[in-house]
Amino acid sequence: MEERVKKLKAEMVLEHIVDLKMQQLFGYKVLSRIVMDSEKELRFQDIKDESLKKRAESSVLKGVAKLSRDKKIFINMPVSIHIESLPLYGRNFVVCIPADLSSDTLAKILLSIKNLKLKSALDDFYIAKYGVEEEAEEVKLGAFDFVFIKEEFYMNSSKSDVAKAVSYAKSFGAKVIFKKIDTYKKVQLAIDCGADYGHGYFFGYETYNIPLE
């Protein structure tokens, strides 16, 4: 197994997040992957070896911290390493937290992030049809620095409902990011609805292969 592990490398994908008003690069959303010598991608969730996952994530975090000292680095809630380890790599990390976690779990994670003086983002946020206030109050939007609006919501809801959701999130002080923008139509929708930032392949991405440490 160890011989096979030596033949693997970490792949770091940096998806651009752009300031829609200034039309400038604001930060990156980072994906960690493992690639075999054959260039076949190994899905992160399929890796059983936890030490291998930790090595890959640590290598990616060190790599991206060196590349983007002046940009925000948005990462999904760490799979293998502890959140407490993040300040070792840098202070510009934003931890993206799934919207479907329980309130208790959410509160504990947010407290840890705040104590570490890092930023937080609510990932894949959407508003159910039964009302903005009820849904938003449930996840306590004021606790987050950023809110990612789910693609399925902004593409399948009326423009007025999307704009209302964006306005409500921003009323708590959170910056709003539209996810998975890959067409000009989505860019214009994000701007029209008052989003602060856009994320997705429309704005570009970068891929780096780095050795596992």
Side-chain angles (χ1 to χ4, degrees):
M1 174 64 183
E2 182 59 30
E3 192 62 33
R4 177 174 173 270
V5 168
K6 288 179 181 178
K7 295 180 181 178
L8 301 177
K9 55 191 173 183
E11 183 179 70
M12 178 171 69
V13 182
L14 310 182
E15 298 179 339
H16 292 187
I17 294 177
V18 170
D19 184 316
L20 295 173
K21 183 177 181 180
M22 302 298 294
Q23 297 184 15
Q24 294 178 345
L25 181 65
F26 175 74
Y28 303 100
K29 191 160 191 187
V30 182
L31 301 179
S32 303
R33 298 174 181 166
I34 289 184
V35 180
M36 293 181 279
D37 277 352
S38 63
E39 300 303 317
K40 180 180 178 182
E41 185 181 301
L42 188 63
R43 293 193 310 163
F44 216 70
Q45 56 265 41
D46 292 339
I47 303 169
K48 306 299 182 185
D49 188 333
E50 288 299 320
S51 65
L52 177 57
K53 281 186 178 182
K54 190 175 294 186
R55 284 172 59 194
E57 283 192 331
S58 296
S59 297
V60 165
L61 291 175
K62 288 179 182 178
V64 74
K66 289 178 182 177
L67 282 171
S68 55
R69 297 183 185 277
D70 63 335
K71 305 297 181 188
K72 291 296 182 186
I73 304 171
F74 292 76
I75 59 170
N76 292 331
M77 197 169 61
V79 176
S80 303
I81 68 168
H82 294 294
I83 292 177
E84 288 75 11
S85 301
L86 289 177
L88 297 176
Y89 302 100
R91 290 285 177 181
N92 53 338
F93 284 105
V94 181
V95 182
C96 302
I97 306 172
D100 57 359
L101 293 180
S102 69
S103 297
D104 288 344
T105 302
L106 206 59
K108 290 177 183 177
I109 295 171
L110 283 169
L111 181 60
S112 296
I113 294 171
K114 183 176 180 181
N115 289 339
L116 293 170
K117 295 181 170 56
L118 299 177
K119 301 292 185 181
S120 63
L122 180 65
D123 208 359
D124 280 336
F125 178 67
Y126 67 96
I127 301 294
K129 289 184 178 179
Y130 53 78
V132 170
E133 289 80 4
E134 185 176 350
E135 178 79 3
E137 179 62 27
E138 178 66 23
V139 295
K140 303 189 186 310
L141 289 179
F144 297 92
D145 300 289
F146 301 90
V147 172
F148 281 93
I149 302 293
K150 193 171 184 177
E151 179 192 23
E152 288 84 352
F153 170 65
Y154 71 72
M155 287 302 294
N156 297 315
S157 302
S158 69
K159 192 173 181 178
S160 61
D161 282 347
V162 176
K164 186 178 180 183
V166 170
S167 177
Y168 198 77
K170 292 175 73 169
S171 73
F172 284 91
K175 297 292 186 180
V176 173
I177 307 170
F178 271 39
K179 289 190 69 173
K180 297 183 178 180
I181 293 179
D182 53 14
T183 65
Y184 180 76
K185 178 182 177 180
K186 291 180 180 179
V187 175
Q188 194 59 55
L189 179 63
I191 293 171
D192 290 347
C193 290
D196 300 288
Y197 305 105
H199 151 264
Y201 288 153
F202 182 88
F203 304 110
Y205 64 95
E206 304 163 31
T207 303
Y208 301 87
N209 286 323
I210 54 180
L212 292 178
E213 296 189 357

